[in-house]
PDB file of all heavy atoms in Angstrom:
ATOM      1  N   GLU A 315    -101.659  19.821   4.950  1.00 91.00           N
ATOM      2  CA  GLU A 315    -101.545  18.413   4.527  1.00 91.00           C
ATOM      3  C   GLU A 315    -100.963  17.542   5.639  1.00 91.00           C
ATOM      4  O   GLU A 315    -101.290  16.367   5.760  1.00 91.00           O
ATOM      5  CB  GLU A 315    -100.658  18.276   3.276  1.00 91.00           C
ATOM      6  CG  GLU A 315    -101.203  18.958   2.034  1.00 91.00           C
ATOM      7  CD  GLU A 315    -100.654  20.364   1.860  1.00 91.00           C
ATOM      8  OE1 GLU A 315     -99.625  20.676   2.503  1.00 91.00           O
ATOM      9  OE2 GLU A 315    -101.253  21.159   1.110  1.00 91.00           O
ATOM     10  N   GLU A 316    -100.072  18.126   6.449  1.00 93.00           N
ATOM     11  CA  GLU A 316     -99.439  17.334   7.507  1.00 93.00           C
ATOM     12  C   GLU A 316    -100.272  17.268   8.780  1.00 93.00           C
ATOM     13  O   GLU A 316     -99.829  16.715   9.798  1.00 93.00           O
ATOM     14  CB  GLU A 316     -98.063  17.909   7.834  1.00 93.00           C
ATOM     15  CG  GLU A 316     -97.003  17.549   6.806  1.00 93.00           C
ATOM     16  CD  GLU A 316     -96.155  18.745   6.417  1.00 93.00           C
ATOM     17  OE1 GLU A 316     -95.635  19.427   7.317  1.00 93.00           O
ATOM     18  OE2 GLU A 316     -96.028  19.014   5.212  1.00 93.00           O
ATOM     19  N   GLY A 317    -101.458  17.859   8.734  1.00 93.00           N
ATOM     20  CA  GLY A 317    -102.329  17.796   9.901  1.00 93.00           C
ATOM     21  C   GLY A 317    -102.066  18.870  10.942  1.00 93.00           C
ATOM     22  O   GLY A 317    -102.565  18.805  12.058  1.00 93.00           O
ATOM     23  N   ASN A 318    -101.250  19.878  10.579  1.00 96.00           N
ATOM     24  CA  ASN A 318    -100.996  20.970  11.521  1.00 96.00           C
ATOM     25  C   ASN A 318    -101.995  22.099  11.319  1.00 96.00           C
ATOM     26  O   ASN A 318    -102.353  22.419  10.191  1.00 96.00           O
ATOM     27  CB  ASN A 318     -99.580  21.521  11.324  1.00 96.00           C
ATOM     28  CG  ASN A 318     -98.521  20.477  11.579  1.00 96.00           C
ATOM     29  OD1 ASN A 318     -98.588  19.753  12.573  1.00 96.00           O
ATOM     30  ND2 ASN A 318     -97.574  20.377  10.668  1.00 96.00           N
ATOM     31  N   TYR A 319    -102.403  22.697  12.432  1.00 97.00           N
ATOM     32  CA  TYR A 319    -103.294  23.843  12.336  1.00 97.00           C
ATOM     33  C   TYR A 319    -102.543  25.033  11.761  1.00 97.00           C
ATOM     34  O   TYR A 319    -101.334  25.175  11.935  1.00 97.00           O
ATOM     35  CB  TYR A 319    -103.854  24.214  13.710  1.00 97.00           C
ATOM     36  CG  TYR A 319    -104.821  23.189  14.236  1.00 97.00           C
ATOM     37  CD1 TYR A 319    -104.538  22.486  15.405  1.00 97.00           C
ATOM     38  CD2 TYR A 319    -106.004  22.921  13.554  1.00 97.00           C
ATOM     39  CE1 TYR A 319    -105.432  21.534  15.886  1.00 97.00           C
ATOM     40  CE2 TYR A 319    -106.894  21.970  14.030  1.00 97.00           C
ATOM     41  CZ  TYR A 319    -106.602  21.276  15.186  1.00 97.00           C
ATOM     42  OH  TYR A 319    -107.472  20.336  15.651  1.00 97.00           O
ATOM     43  N   LYS A 320    -103.295  25.890  11.099  1.00 96.00           N
ATOM     44  CA  LYS A 320    -102.689  27.105  10.555  1.00 96.00           C
ATOM     45  C   LYS A 320    -102.257  27.991  11.720  1.00 96.00           C
ATOM     46  O   LYS A 320    -103.059  28.286  12.615  1.00 96.00           O
ATOM     47  CB  LYS A 320    -103.740  27.819   9.706  1.00 96.00           C
ATOM     48  CG  LYS A 320    -103.205  28.976   8.918  1.00 96.00           C
ATOM     49  CD  LYS A 320    -104.250  29.415   7.915  1.00 96.00           C
ATOM     50  CE  LYS A 320    -103.689  30.478   7.012  1.00 96.00           C
ATOM     51  NZ  LYS A 320    -104.608  30.752   5.917  1.00 96.00           N
ATOM     52  N   GLN A 321    -100.999  28.387  11.717  1.00 97.00           N
ATOM     53  CA  GLN A 321    -100.518  29.204  12.827  1.00 97.00           C
ATOM     54  C   GLN A 321     -99.368  30.114  12.390  1.00 97.00           C
ATOM     55  O   GLN A 321     -98.525  29.715  11.577  1.00 97.00           O
ATOM     56  CB  GLN A 321    -100.022  28.311  13.966  1.00 97.00           C
ATOM     57  CG  GLN A 321     -99.588  29.124  15.182  1.00 97.00           C
ATOM     58  CD  GLN A 321     -99.050  28.268  16.308  1.00 97.00           C
ATOM     59  OE1 GLN A 321     -98.050  27.599  16.148  1.00 97.00           O
ATOM     60  NE2 GLN A 321     -99.717  28.313  17.440  1.00 97.00           N
ATOM     61  N   GLU A 322     -99.367  31.319  12.891  1.00 97.00           N
ATOM     62  CA  GLU A 322     -98.224  32.211  12.686  1.00 97.00           C
ATOM     63  C   GLU A 322     -97.864  32.844  14.021  1.00 97.00           C
ATOM     64  O   GLU A 322     -98.728  33.088  14.862  1.00 97.00           O
ATOM     65  CB  GLU A 322     -98.568  33.323  11.686  1.00 97.00           C
ATOM     66  CG  GLU A 322     -98.405  32.928  10.240  1.00 97.00           C
ATOM     67  CD  GLU A 322     -98.943  33.987   9.306  1.00 97.00           C
ATOM     68  OE1 GLU A 322    -100.176  34.080   9.171  1.00 97.00           O
ATOM     69  OE2 GLU A 322     -98.136  34.731   8.732  1.00 97.00           O
ATOM     70  N   ILE A 323     -96.578  33.101  14.184  1.00 98.00           N
ATOM     71  CA  ILE A 323     -96.135  33.805  15.388  1.00 98.00           C
ATOM     72  C   ILE A 323     -95.512  35.114  14.959  1.00 98.00           C
ATOM     73  O   ILE A 323     -94.594  35.145  14.126  1.00 98.00           O
ATOM     74  CB  ILE A 323     -95.147  32.948  16.192  1.00 98.00           C
ATOM     75  CG1 ILE A 323     -95.899  31.735  16.746  1.00 98.00           C
ATOM     76  CG2 ILE A 323     -94.526  33.752  17.331  1.00 98.00           C
ATOM     77  CD1 ILE A 323     -95.020  30.664  17.319  1.00 98.00           C
ATOM     78  N   PHE A 324     -96.063  36.190  15.465  1.00 98.00           N
ATOM     79  CA  PHE A 324     -95.574  37.513  15.091  1.00 98.00           C
ATOM     80  C   PHE A 324     -94.722  38.049  16.234  1.00 98.00           C
ATOM     81  O   PHE A 324     -95.164  38.130  17.377  1.00 98.00           O
ATOM     82  CB  PHE A 324     -96.748  38.456  14.806  1.00 98.00           C
ATOM     83  CG  PHE A 324     -97.662  37.921  13.737  1.00 98.00           C
ATOM     84  CD1 PHE A 324     -98.901  37.387  14.060  1.00 98.00           C
ATOM     85  CD2 PHE A 324     -97.261  37.918  12.406  1.00 98.00           C
ATOM     86  CE1 PHE A 324     -99.735  36.872  13.073  1.00 98.00           C
ATOM     87  CE2 PHE A 324     -98.084  37.402  11.417  1.00 98.00           C
ATOM     88  CZ  PHE A 324     -99.323  36.880  11.749  1.00 98.00           C
ATOM     89  N   TYR A 325     -93.507  38.400  15.891  1.00 98.00           N
ATOM     90  CA  TYR A 325     -92.591  38.885  16.909  1.00 98.00           C
ATOM     91  C   TYR A 325     -91.558  39.761  16.220  1.00 98.00           C
ATOM     92  O   TYR A 325     -91.009  39.386  15.181  1.00 98.00           O
ATOM     93  CB  TYR A 325     -91.891  37.709  17.598  1.00 98.00           C
ATOM     94  CG  TYR A 325     -90.830  38.152  18.565  1.00 98.00           C
ATOM     95  CD1 TYR A 325     -91.183  38.564  19.847  1.00 98.00           C
ATOM     96  CD2 TYR A 325     -89.486  38.194  18.191  1.00 98.00           C
ATOM     97  CE1 TYR A 325     -90.205  38.997  20.735  1.00 98.00           C
ATOM     98  CE2 TYR A 325     -88.510  38.628  19.076  1.00 98.00           C
ATOM     99  CZ  TYR A 325     -88.871  39.022  20.346  1.00 98.00           C
ATOM    100  OH  TYR A 325     -87.921  39.453  21.213  1.00 98.00           O
ATOM    101  N   SER A 326     -91.307  40.911  16.767  1.00 98.00           N
ATOM    102  CA  SER A 326     -90.308  41.786  16.177  1.00 98.00           C
ATOM    103  C   SER A 326     -89.329  42.259  17.248  1.00 98.00           C
ATOM    104  O   SER A 326     -89.727  42.818  18.265  1.00 98.00           O
ATOM    105  CB  SER A 326     -90.992  42.997  15.516  1.00 98.00           C
ATOM    106  OG  SER A 326     -90.016  43.932  15.125  1.00 98.00           O
ATOM    107  N   GLU A 327     -88.076  41.982  16.984  1.00 97.00           N
ATOM    108  CA  GLU A 327     -87.026  42.385  17.914  1.00 97.00           C
ATOM    109  C   GLU A 327     -86.748  43.882  17.778  1.00 97.00           C
ATOM    110  O   GLU A 327     -86.521  44.572  18.757  1.00 97.00           O
ATOM    111  CB  GLU A 327     -85.753  41.584  17.576  1.00 97.00           C
ATOM    112  CG  GLU A 327     -84.611  41.739  18.529  1.00 97.00           C
ATOM    113  CD  GLU A 327     -84.681  40.722  19.655  1.00 97.00           C
ATOM    114  OE1 GLU A 327     -84.992  39.559  19.368  1.00 97.00           O
ATOM    115  OE2 GLU A 327     -84.440  41.113  20.813  1.00 97.00           O
ATOM    116  N   GLU A 328     -86.795  44.345  16.533  1.00 97.00           N
ATOM    117  CA  GLU A 328     -86.358  45.719  16.256  1.00 97.00           C
ATOM    118  C   GLU A 328     -87.487  46.685  15.924  1.00 97.00           C
ATOM    119  O   GLU A 328     -87.250  47.799  15.483  1.00 97.00           O
ATOM    120  CB  GLU A 328     -85.360  45.707  15.096  1.00 97.00           C
ATOM    121  CG  GLU A 328     -84.090  44.950  15.412  1.00 97.00           C
ATOM    122  CD  GLU A 328     -83.088  45.047  14.275  1.00 97.00           C
ATOM    123  OE1 GLU A 328     -83.423  44.630  13.143  1.00 97.00           O
ATOM    124  OE2 GLU A 328     -81.992  45.560  14.514  1.00 97.00           O
TER     125      GLU A 328
END
Side-chain angles (χ1 to χ4, degrees):
E315 296 94 17
E316 283 135 51
N318 299 314
Y319 291 117
K320 189 168 186 171
Q321 183 182 63
E322 276 172 284
I323 293 168
F324 303 105
Y325 174 81
S326 171
E327 187 89 42
E328 297 184 301

